[in-house]
């Protein structure tokens, strides 16, 4: 385990670099200019998508839900045995794990400290963090425990996902023909570096002239209801008779941080009831309002699904939630828990 020591007074800062060398990126203990922020071609994150990641927002210089994001990425790292990939000194050839495992280079508190330092180095008041845990450098084979040490990257930069006018007008989405990977194969609660399932569904949306697609739970039964899970990069909510409904996590989907914030904090603050349940596409098409949530997207209304118009612009409940969200993240009390 590394003992972290960050000298903020002497660390590399974006302000000292030409624009083409920004942002400053942190990789495995070093602050680097953009052109030198590289990983090895033998890194299993590059070779196999072997790793996990988080996208995190910065508001007023504070990292929104930093603790929740950090806890999730560590939970996911443990789920893919990244905390157990240390090998005995005399077993590097076979990559046999130590029985006790536990070779992760940083603690949760240290990862939060690193992210905060990156925000400072890049002088960001508003922005986005990409936190990446890769399996690390190994061999060309699949064997994950030939990678003796995980590699950690923190990128802090600006981001703009959807045009501002889309938040008031609402966005159009489609239903993807490509379903989510079955949970028994790869739990959708993971955020792996391999996002091809989502990307290929995203291509369907782009080919249809929109920016998002609703993805269904996988089934090989023709008579099964078409249960919705999430979109390619966002969670989905519908409003019916003043109540918020959203797919239950066991449908097979990501446990979004913004999703949890809406369910546990935002909706109660607005006096709106929320229910998590299995939802079909018929439920979606009969909704009074629809909206999506995500770290980059925040809260955005859906105007149309395929050929069915849900609302003409942002609905009143969605607007109330979005305005409440914005009032919180632009305040001096941005939640970092």
């Amino acid at each position: 385990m590394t003992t972290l020591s960050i000298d903020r007074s002497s660390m590399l800062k974006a302000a000292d670099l030409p624009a083409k060398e920004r942002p400053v990126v942190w990789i495995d203990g070093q602050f680097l200019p953009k052109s030198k922020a590289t990983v090895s071609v033998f890194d299993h994150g590059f070779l196999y998508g072997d790793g996990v990641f988080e996208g995190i927002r910065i508001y007023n210089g504070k990292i929104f839900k930093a603790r929740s994001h950090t806890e999730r990425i560590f939970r996911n790292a443990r789920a893919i045995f990244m905390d157990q990939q240390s090998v005995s000194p005399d077993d590097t050839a076979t990559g046999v794990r130590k029985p006790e495992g536990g070779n992760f280079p940083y603690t949760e508190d240290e990862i939060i400290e690193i992210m905060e330092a990156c925000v400072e180095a890049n002088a960001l008041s508003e922005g986005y963090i990409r936190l990446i845990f890769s399996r690390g450098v190994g061999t060309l084979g699949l064997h994950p425990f030939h990678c003796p040490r995980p590699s950690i990257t923190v990128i802090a930069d600006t981001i703009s996902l959807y045009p501002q006018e889309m938040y008031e007008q609402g966005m159009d989405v489609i239903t993807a023909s490509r379903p989510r990977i079955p949970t028994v194969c790869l739990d959708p609660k993971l955020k792996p570096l391999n996002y091809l399932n989502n990307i290929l569904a995203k291509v369907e949306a782009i080919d249809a002239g929109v920016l998002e697609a609703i993805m269904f739970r996988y089934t090989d039964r023709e008579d099964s209801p078409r249960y919705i899970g999430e979109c390619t990069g966002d969670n989905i909510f519908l409003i019916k008779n003043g109540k918020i409904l959203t797919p239950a996590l066991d449908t097979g989907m990501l446990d979004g941080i913004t999703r949890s914030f809406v369910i546990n904090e935002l909706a109660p603050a607005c006096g709106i009831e929320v229910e998590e349940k299995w939802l079909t596409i018929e439920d979606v098409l009969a909704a009074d309002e629809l909206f999506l949530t995500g770290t980059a997207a925040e809260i955005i209304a859906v105007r149309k699904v395929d050929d069915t118009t849900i609302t003409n612009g942002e609905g009143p409940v969605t607007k109330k939630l979005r305005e409440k969200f914005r009032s919180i993240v632009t305040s001096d009390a941005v939640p970092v828990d």
Side-chain angles (χ1 to χ4, degrees):
M1 174 92 51
T2 299
T3 300
L4 184 65
S5 178
I6 298 177
D7 183 354
R8 303 274 185 106
S9 63
S10 62
M11 70 183 179
L12 183 66
K13 294 181 173 63
D16 299 326
L17 297 172
K20 66 179 182 179
E21 290 285 20
R22 303 171 192 165
V24 171
V25 178
W26 191 94
I27 302 180
D28 294 333
Q30 290 185 291
F31 289 96
L32 299 165
K34 185 176 182 179
S35 65
K36 294 184 179 179
T38 58
V39 297
S40 168
V41 294
F42 288 93
D43 190 296
H44 272 218
F46 172 75
L47 289 172
Y48 298 111
D50 185 2
V52 290
F53 78 95
E54 289 288 317
I56 312 170
R57 285 296 287 262
I58 305 160
Y59 297 108
N60 268 355
K62 297 180 181 178
I63 302 172
F64 179 70
K65 292 290 179 178
R67 179 64 60 182
S68 297
H69 279 286
T70 305
E71 288 176 351
R72 184 172 68 177
I73 197 170
F74 271 81
R75 183 168 66 247
N76 286 341
R78 289 190 293 271
I80 64 171
F81 309 103
M82 190 177 282
D83 63 328
Q84 298 181 33
Q85 67 188 72
S86 60
V87 297
S88 303
D90 56 349
D91 262 328
T92 54
T94 59
V96 176
R97 285 184 287 165
K98 292 180 182 179
E100 70 274 13
N103 188 42
F104 203 80
Y106 299 100
T107 65
E108 291 184 17
D109 286 342
E110 288 173 332
I111 290 296
I112 291 174
E113 183 181 349
I114 292 164
M115 291 193 293
E116 290 172 342
C118 283
V119 172
E120 181 181 333
N122 289 291
L124 290 170
S125 177
E126 309 291 318
Y128 178 86
I129 293 170
R130 176 58 57 90
L131 172 62
I132 302 165
F133 290 3
S134 168
R135 184 76 64 183
V137 174
T139 66
L140 290 177
L142 278 173
H143 199 321
F145 304 122
H146 283 164
C147 307
R149 187 179 190 275
S151 178
I152 315 300
T153 298
V154 180
I155 307 167
D157 204 357
T158 56
I159 191 172
S160 177
L161 188 62
Y162 299 127
Q164 184 57 42
E165 60 269 18
M166 195 174 283
Y167 286 85
E168 297 177 2
Q169 299 170 3
M171 68 187 303
D172 296 353
V173 304
I174 63 163
T175 52
S177 62
R178 184 178 302 273
R180 288 295 277 125
I181 295 173
T183 301
V184 70
C185 298
L186 183 67
D187 191 337
K189 288 197 291 294
L190 287 170
K191 282 180 72 73
L193 296 184
N194 187 332
Y195 240 47
L196 272 179
N197 182 223
N198 306 65
I199 288 170
L200 293 175
K202 182 82 166 182
V203 170
E204 289 187 49
I206 294 167
D207 285 348
V210 299
L211 294 176
E212 256 295 13
I214 298 171
M215 300 181 74
F216 295 107
R217 175 183 172 86
Y218 173 80
T219 179
D220 58 2
R221 291 180 50 186
E222 293 184 1
D223 61 343
S224 175
R226 293 194 298 165
Y227 290 109
I228 64 167
E230 58 187 330
C231 295
T232 67
D234 300 309
N235 291 118
I236 186 168
F237 291 77
L238 63 88
I239 298 157
K240 190 68 178 179
N241 299 324
K243 181 179 180 179
I244 297 175
L245 303 172
T246 194
L249 289 178
D250 60 1
T251 306
M253 53 186 285
L254 180 70
D255 53 338
I257 301 299
T258 307
R259 174 187 182 274
S260 296
F261 184 63
V262 168
I263 292 171
N264 299 318
E265 300 178 55
L266 206 59
C270 293
I272 306 170
E273 182 183 356
V274 181
E275 181 181 359
E276 299 175 70
K277 60 184 293 186
W278 285 47
L279 297 168
T280 66
I281 188 59
E282 288 76 23
D283 294 320
V284 170
L285 298 180
D288 299 325
E289 298 178 41
L290 288 178
F291 66 89
L292 310 181
T293 65
T295 293
E298 298 182 337
I299 296 174
I300 187 167
V302 173
R303 186 186 72 89
K304 188 177 181 182
V305 178
D306 292 330
D307 295 324
T308 300
T309 298
I310 307 299
T311 55
N312 291 313
E314 185 179 47
V317 178
T318 303
K319 183 177 181 180
K320 182 177 183 180
L321 289 166
R322 184 170 67 86
E323 289 180 345
K324 181 65 175 177
F325 179 87
R326 291 299 304 170
S327 71
I328 291 171
V329 300
T330 57
S331 72
D332 293 328
V334 176
V336 297
D337 57 319

